[in-house]
Amino acid sequence: MKYAIIEADGKQIWIEPGKYYDFNYIAGQPGDYIKFNKILLLRQNELIYLGKPCIKTVIIKAKILKHLKGKKITVLKTKPKKNSKKKKGYRASLTRLLIEEFLQ
């Protein structure tokens, strides 16, 4: 089993090669490749590598599949006793990435 924990968008994400994940919008065209270099933990078969704070020798290669919008978030604001209500919606821009390989 092969997996890694990376830091991206201020979050720690568990990733595996051959799977796709949605990240906050990343500039680039579908088909472009990007690299992650903030790897916090890497497991290959029975070996586990821990970074302090990051592993410098490993790079993760990912391919941009497409850009999409996330689930709609509705925000309601009310003021008590004022009969004032506001309703707004928001959809985050996301980028779907396919994790291809871990390079050492």
Side-chain angles (χ1 to χ4, degrees):
M1 184 169 175
K2 196 176 202 183
Y3 65 83
I5 297 176
I6 65 169
E7 183 180 335
D9 299 331
K11 301 174 195 163
Q12 294 179 1
I13 303 168
W14 176 305
I15 61 171
E16 297 177 23
K19 294 188 178 182
Y20 64 87
Y21 300 90
D22 292 337
F23 291 87
N24 286 338
Y25 183 81
I26 298 171
Q29 298 297 321
D32 290 351
Y33 289 94
I34 63 167
K35 295 179 182 178
F36 292 105
N37 54 6
K38 288 189 177 181
I39 294 96
L40 306 176
L41 180 137
L42 177 68
R43 179 176 180 192
Q44 292 181 336
N45 301 328
E46 297 302 318
L47 298 174
I48 296 177
Y49 302 99
L50 284 173
K52 295 180 184 179
C54 298
I55 302 170
K56 303 288 185 195
T57 60
V58 178
I59 295 174
I60 295 177
K61 183 177 171 186
K63 181 179 181 180
I64 297 176
L65 294 180
K66 64 179 178 177
H67 298 291
L68 59 138
K69 289 197 171 197
K71 187 177 174 183
K72 187 166 188 175
I73 298 170
T74 305
V75 179
L76 297 170
K77 289 187 178 182
T78 60
K79 293 186 179 180
K81 302 176 190 168
K82 301 293 183 188
N83 198 19
S84 172
K85 297 178 184 176
K86 288 185 182 178
K87 180 178 179 181
K88 292 185 178 181
Y90 176 74
R91 290 181 70 184
S93 296
L94 303 173
T95 300
R96 183 161 288 172
L97 297 175
L98 174 67
I99 305 301
E100 291 198 342
E101 60 184 336
F102 300 160
L103 303 171
Q104 286 189 343

